[in-house]
Amino acid sequence: MKALVLLSDARHPVSGRPAPAATELQAVALAHTLADEVNGLHAGPDAEAARGALGHGLTRLEHRQLTAGDDPLPSLVAAIGTAPPDLVLAGPRAGAGAQTGLLPYCLAEALGWPIVADAVSLAVADGVLEVIQALPKGARRRWRMRLPAVITVHPAAPAAASFALGVARKGQVVETPGLPARIEGPPVAERPYRPRPRLIASAAAGAGAAERLKAATQATGPGGQVMVAPPPEAAARAILDHLRAIGVLKPAERG
Amino acid sequence: MTAASDPAFGLGLLVALLAACAAVVAARAALRWRIGRAARVDRGTGVDWMAGLLAVPRRYLVDVHHVVARDPHAARMHALAAGGLLAGSTLALLGLVPPLGASRLFWITTALAFLLALVGGAMVARRRYPRRPARLSGGTFQRLPLLLVAYGGGALLVALAATLGDPLAPLGWLGLAMAAIGGFGLVRQLAGGPMRHAFAGALHLAAHPRPGRFEGERATALMPADLEAPRLGVATPADFAWNQLLGFDACIQCGRCEVACPAFAAGQPLNPKRLIQDLAGAFKSGPPAYAGSPYPNARPVAGIGGPDLPIVGAGALIHPDTIWSCTTCRACVEECPMMIEHVDAIVDLRRFQTMELAAVPAGAIPTLSESRYAEEPGGRPLSARTDFAAGLPLPLIADKGSCDVLLWLGAGAYELRHGRTLRALVELLRRASIDYAVLGAEERDCGDLARRLGDEATFADLARANIATLSRYAFRRILTADPHALHVLRNEYPAFGGHYELIHHSAFLDELTAEGRLNLVAMPDGRLTYHDPCYLGRYNGETEAPRRLLDRLGLERVEMERHGKRAMCCGGGGGAPVSDIAGDRRIPDIRMAQARATGAATVAVACPQCAAMLEGVTGDVAQVRDLAELVLAAVEAAPASQGAGR
């Protein structure tokens, strides 16, 4: 079992100092539940933050050197391609910088591997990976898949190990030049953050406090109605009915 | 006379034989310390044998006696038993010299010495029989008084027979037999029994890791760990310095540490006496059975140990919960008549757990991570440290360049409770026209918490960063209301190249009031008791200034039974609140009950940890007020026109 953790050039959210990202350290801890040796991979100009993960249980860090502004994806694909691990773990998004959260998906697509987001627990039996995935409001979903796979780790995963100097001293860093690649695709636009109204399920008007609390807090999760290839009219009716049921649209007028 | 001197001559030979046997047993026991690393001493390069051995009598008669004499009965008992035994045995040995052996006066003196030993032995017996106090160990320790009485009493008979001559000769032979049984029994106890403390204790005084303790210094700073060592901290007995192993062997299991230990009192799985016995037994093939009180709520361990086997772990000798229960309050060290350094051993064990195994209690992980990556154990922005002072003038030293008093705020500044204290202190500084400033966002955590939790690497980083910051500014001294920061900056930064004059706010306010720079009116406000912070009283010996200051306020001050350097911990030190090891009770509840038992309506504190821990107590509580708050109230009550420098 070989596990590889992707590490970003993260900053501490409060101090702004280079520090390994919390979810990536949790990924290291999660990988240790499956493998004794956990390798790390960072592609970028500076590996100082990623190096910190060596003190939290990472055995070996491979640093693919890039100049600032280069796309790390080709370098990551190349590094993974030379000695493919069974499992690639990553945080949900980088610890600093662009933070689109798309990189694990792009990587899975480039490798042709399946991806499961927001894992909180991993187990492997006979080459089959069992992932417990975190869903909103504490719900959990179990996935089974063949290895290899890409997994992103949810903050609700078990706590990361604390920093240990003795562990950090044993860790090795391998520096290799990366593949220079300009970032393709449309330029990313920046605009101020705008909080969006949250869709809260509400009980029908006039319901008691207990019902309203239940409606607002109960996991709606998966479930509901599954329609396979329905006619468009039926699908539209089902969506309208659902929106009316949860109170987003006014009830249908009678008559 | 010749016939009567026969048993006396036999006694001389017996003592010579016993001394030879004792030397062999002691040498074999001493060889076991060689497994340890090079000696560790908090100053110089190693053990100064010459000075150490020469100082043993003084260290024993002054420093050890000072501790033993807190229990006057035990002091008399030990003086009689040990003094009588040594004096009598030496005299009996000298009796082999013909002119002395023939002297009646000589044998009367010898008889007197053994009479004292017999009385001492009887006192030991009376203390242990019919019922043994809980803090004392049983097993071989229960046989000790019998052996002392047999040896002292037997030798007394021999000496009496030698004095009185023929009519008592048969009694002399009986005495010789008794002395032989008792004497060989005592020698057997040298290897692993109670008598081990006699020779290990004497050598421990000579090779003590903190010789300054015998020269009036507090000598409480933790010694830096060698971060280049192949193994960080202590995993096996062989990782301890040999003079630490010697120190463990010096333990006489008197149990004074377990009586003083706050974690033991709270039912957490720590008993300092048991811990030292586990450490002393860890490097021996067949350690003697322990017959004292156990760790309270002991977690199960495999009980497997050896010179090169791990000490801490569920599969070893000591459960990790035991070492994480310690609040590093040093009460055990303060009470130990053998001058054993328990806290050093615990921190050494923690260092291995933290820096090699990353095996810290779950609650301590965020604290250590934030100390490392945010330079603040709570992960709070350094710039928010001065938020407590909104509306008060708090000049930055970066703007002023220099000041007379640099105010070190500490982690307590983020807490609402300690923020009130600091506001009072800043207001007092302002009223006394002190030239003060703070570091503001340049003040990092002092590293106390990381260091006590065994993360020496993070502590060293923080210490170096703070020392670099402080080196850029000119100030006369550093004032702080946090005894933990006081201790670290005053006593532990010098090893990293930072030498500062530190003053605690209790001493500073005492100074200001003595100089008349603050006018107070005495304001009798009910009965008050003062809780000594461990890191101020025990660690730095500052117990008088806070009391002088309180007395200036005209309050009726009463003392708790445990106060001053022997005060009980609030439970807030050593990372204990974040490690959070379960027990039967909470330490601050015990301390608050002690405060209430004095009838005090207010408990004065001088430390943010103490304030937080004692304020967390519910039910029948005394009001918790910091010294600065009490002083400010008294200053505000004074007529405004007299206020200096407004």
Side-chain angles (χ1 to χ4, degrees):
Chain A
M1 182 73 202
K2 277 166 63 187
L4 181 79
V5 177
L6 302 186
L7 294 159
S8 60
D9 185 23
R11 298 287 177 272
H12 187 275
V14 172
S15 73
R17 286 153 46 90
T23 42
E24 290 163 12
L25 296 183
Q26 288 177 295
V28 174
L30 212 50
H32 268 295
T33 62
L34 303 176
D36 286 337
E37 286 203 357
V38 177
N39 292 331
L41 176 61
H42 172 72
D46 184 15
E48 191 192 340
R51 225 176 255 271
L54 291 173
H56 297 265
L58 200 68
T59 317
R60 181 175 159 276
L61 172 68
E62 186 175 348
H63 176 206
R64 297 269 163 155
Q65 295 155 326
L66 295 174
T67 50
D70 269 354
D71 184 358
L73 186 63
S75 302
L76 295 179
V77 173
I80 292 168
T82 50
D86 300 303
L87 193 61
V88 171
L89 292 123
R93 60 179 62 83
Q99 298 206 359
T100 58
L102 287 177
L103 182 95
Y105 296 92
C106 298
L107 181 71
E109 188 180 36
L111 294 169
W113 293 4
I115 178 167
V116 174
D118 295 332
V120 291
S121 166
L122 300 176
V124 170
D126 307 326
V128 176
L129 176 70
E130 189 178 287
V131 185
I132 306 292
Q133 183 186 35
L135 297 173
K137 297 180 182 176
R140 295 289 184 264
R141 178 158 54 192
R142 178 178 288 120
W143 291 94
R144 284 197 189 80
M145 66 186 68
R146 297 232 149 254
L147 290 171
V150 179
I151 305 289
T152 72
V153 176
H154 192 266
S162 68
F163 174 84
L165 181 66
V167 180
R169 290 191 311 189
K170 290 185 199 105
Q172 313 153 15
V173 182
V174 184
E175 303 267 357
T176 336
L179 299 174
R182 289 286 98 195
I183 291 178
E184 288 170 20
V188 179
E190 262 185 40
R191 58 172 185 268
Y193 172 74
R194 180 176 65 86
R196 285 168 180 76
R198 208 153 61 92
L199 194 66
I200 298 175
S202 60
E211 280 88 26
R212 280 187 280 123
L213 180 70
K214 204 171 155 192
T217 55
Q218 207 169 42
T220 43
Q225 193 182 356
V226 179
M227 300 170 83
V228 181
E233 288 81 9
R237 198 169 299 116
I239 291 169
L240 281 172
D241 286 347
H242 176 70
L243 291 175
R244 285 191 183 107
I246 64 173
V248 174
L249 297 181
K250 283 180 190 166
E253 285 176 22
R254 301 271 167 202
Chain B
M1 203 67 200
T2 44
S5 69
D6 279 343
F9 192 75
L11 183 65
L13 288 179
L14 172 68
V15 172
L17 185 63
L18 288 175
C21 290
V24 171
V25 173
R28 283 180 53 191
L31 285 178
R32 287 191 298 230
W33 303 326
R34 286 193 317 170
I35 61 155
R37 290 186 196 168
R40 205 161 61 145
V41 180
D42 68 350
R43 63 174 187 207
T45 48
V47 175
D48 186 349
W49 276 113
M50 198 62 187
L53 285 173
L54 283 176
V56 166
R58 203 193 115 79
R59 289 176 181 181
Y60 172 68
L61 292 170
V62 177
D63 300 284
V64 171
H65 182 74
H66 175 75
V67 181
V68 179
R70 290 174 196 160
D71 179 353
H73 180 267
R76 282 194 291 275
M77 175 192 88
H78 191 262
L80 289 173
L85 210 68
L86 280 177
S89 303
T90 314
L91 286 174
L93 199 60
L94 288 175
L96 292 176
V97 182
L100 282 179
S103 156
R104 193 172 284 246
L105 186 67
F106 173 79
W107 285 109
I108 290 179
T109 318
T110 312
L112 263 176
F114 278 117
L115 181 65
L116 295 182
L118 182 64
V119 172
M123 286 172 80
V124 177
R126 212 188 66 186
R127 190 162 78 139
R128 293 180 167 271
Y129 291 100
R131 212 173 58 206
R132 167 171 63 89
R135 70 176 170 97
L136 297 176
S137 291
T140 55
F141 283 79
Q142 284 299 84
R143 289 200 288 282
L144 175 66
L146 308 180
L147 297 173
L148 285 174
V149 167
Y151 181 66
L156 175 63
L157 283 181
V158 177
L160 280 179
T163 313
L164 299 176
D166 288 333
L168 285 176
L171 222 51
W173 288 111
L174 175 69
L176 186 61
M178 275 171 63
I181 294 170
F184 280 109
L186 288 175
V187 169
R188 258 193 67 197
Q189 288 202 336
L190 265 178
M195 291 310 289
R196 188 177 68 197
H197 86 285
F199 82 97
L203 287 176
H204 179 53
L205 289 181
H208 199 277
R210 297 175 182 275
R213 283 185 67 189
F214 306 104
E215 292 153 26
E217 293 169 24
R218 293 305 296 164
T220 49
L222 286 178
M223 289 174 238
D226 177 10
L227 296 182
E228 306 297 321
R231 185 189 270 166
L232 303 165
V234 167
T236 69
D239 294 333
F240 276 117
W242 75 261
N243 60 341
Q244 283 178 294
L245 297 176
L246 159 64
F248 304 147
D249 270 353
C251 176
I252 181 61
Q253 303 196 28
C254 65
R256 294 179 188 214
C257 51
E258 88 174 37
V259 175
C261 179
F264 182 83
Q268 289 173 283
L270 172 61
N271 175 350
K273 175 169 109 173
R274 175 79 211 255
L275 177 81
I276 295 299
Q277 286 313 305
D278 278 343
L279 294 175
F283 61 99
K284 293 170 188 127
S285 47
Y290 174 76
S293 24
Y295 297 119
N297 299 308
R299 322 298 199 230
V301 290
I304 301 163
D308 293 305
L309 293 178
I311 299 171
V312 175
L317 282 173
I318 299 172
H319 195 275
D321 281 3
T322 295
I323 61 167
W324 295 112
S325 294
C326 178
T327 66
T328 68
C329 75
R330 270 183 89 84
C332 48
V333 184
E334 187 69 26
E335 293 300 320
C336 181
M338 303 308 296
M339 307 273 163
I340 297 169
E341 293 285 345
H342 313 65
V343 175
D344 284 353
I346 288 175
V347 172
D348 282 338
L349 293 169
R350 285 185 180 182
R351 281 174 177 168
F352 178 77
Q353 297 294 309
T354 303
M355 290 196 286
E356 290 285 359
L357 303 183
V360 296
I365 296 177
T367 306
L368 290 179
S369 289
E370 300 295 5
S371 292
R372 182 160 192 85
Y373 298 119
E375 301 181 306
E376 206 291 302
R380 295 159 291 204
L382 297 182
S383 56
R385 197 188 294 275
T386 50
D387 286 0
F388 75 92
L392 278 176
L394 204 57
L396 293 179
I397 196 166
D399 298 338
K400 296 176 67 168
S402 71
C403 63
D404 182 47
V405 170
L406 178 68
L407 180 59
W408 187 274
L409 297 170
Y414 294 99
E415 315 288 348
L416 281 175
R417 177 66 190 83
H418 191 60
R420 293 212 304 273
T421 301
L422 287 173
R423 284 184 70 89
L425 180 61
V426 169
E427 176 63 20
L428 288 168
L429 294 179
R430 196 179 68 78
R431 290 189 183 219
S433 310
I434 303 294
D435 174 26
Y436 68 94
V438 296
L439 286 170
E442 290 186 283
E443 179 185 327
R444 297 166 171 89
D445 186 62
C446 66
D448 167 69
L449 201 46
R451 187 169 223 199
R452 313 296 139 186
L453 286 169
D455 192 351
E456 185 77 358
T458 299
F459 169 74
D461 289 348
L462 288 168
R464 287 195 196 94
N466 276 322
I467 290 169
T469 303
L470 290 170
S471 71
R472 282 188 279 118
Y473 300 113
F475 49 87
R476 192 161 66 87
R477 49 187 182 171
I478 301 176
L479 167 69
T480 182
D482 182 349
H484 295 262
L486 175 93
H487 170 67
V488 168
L489 267 73
R490 177 191 279 170
N491 303 321
E492 300 192 340
Y493 277 15
F496 293 82
H499 302 267
Y500 311 106
E501 188 187 337
L502 262 289
I503 185 164
H504 187 249
H505 75 309
S506 58
F508 190 75
L509 293 175
D510 179 50
E511 205 179 283
L512 290 184
T513 45
E515 289 168 3
R517 298 181 73 172
L518 283 175
N519 282 316
L520 353 130
V521 285
M523 36 179 302
D525 188 25
R527 196 180 271 194
L528 170 144
T529 186
Y530 172 64
H531 164 76
D532 288 90
C534 306
Y535 277 72
L536 190 66
R538 251 192 304 281
Y539 274 75
N540 284 285
E542 294 187 20
T543 54
E544 289 312 309
R547 290 180 166 78
R548 265 200 310 275
L549 183 63
L550 285 171
D551 290 343
R552 286 181 211 280
L553 301 181
L555 298 159
E556 183 197 351
R557 182 166 62 79
V558 288
E559 292 289 6
M560 287 183 260
E561 192 186 327
R562 292 182 60 183
H563 63 271
K565 292 187 188 112
R566 303 181 72 192
M568 186 181 163
C569 177
C570 70
V578 289
S579 301
D580 199 21
I581 304 298
D584 296 328
R585 287 167 292 281
R586 291 177 70 249
I587 297 171
D589 292 354
I590 301 173
R591 188 58 172 163
M592 183 56 93
Q594 292 172 358
R596 286 298 287 146
T598 64
T602 306
V603 51
V605 294
C607 168
Q609 297 287 345
C610 300
M613 297 305 285
L614 293 176
E615 282 234 316
V617 179
T618 56
D620 177 29
V621 294
Q623 192 188 18
V624 180
R625 303 287 300 277
D626 191 275
L627 292 174
E629 294 174 298
L630 292 168
V631 173
L632 181 63
V635 168
E636 281 177 340
S641 57
Q642 291 177 15
R646 289 214 68 174

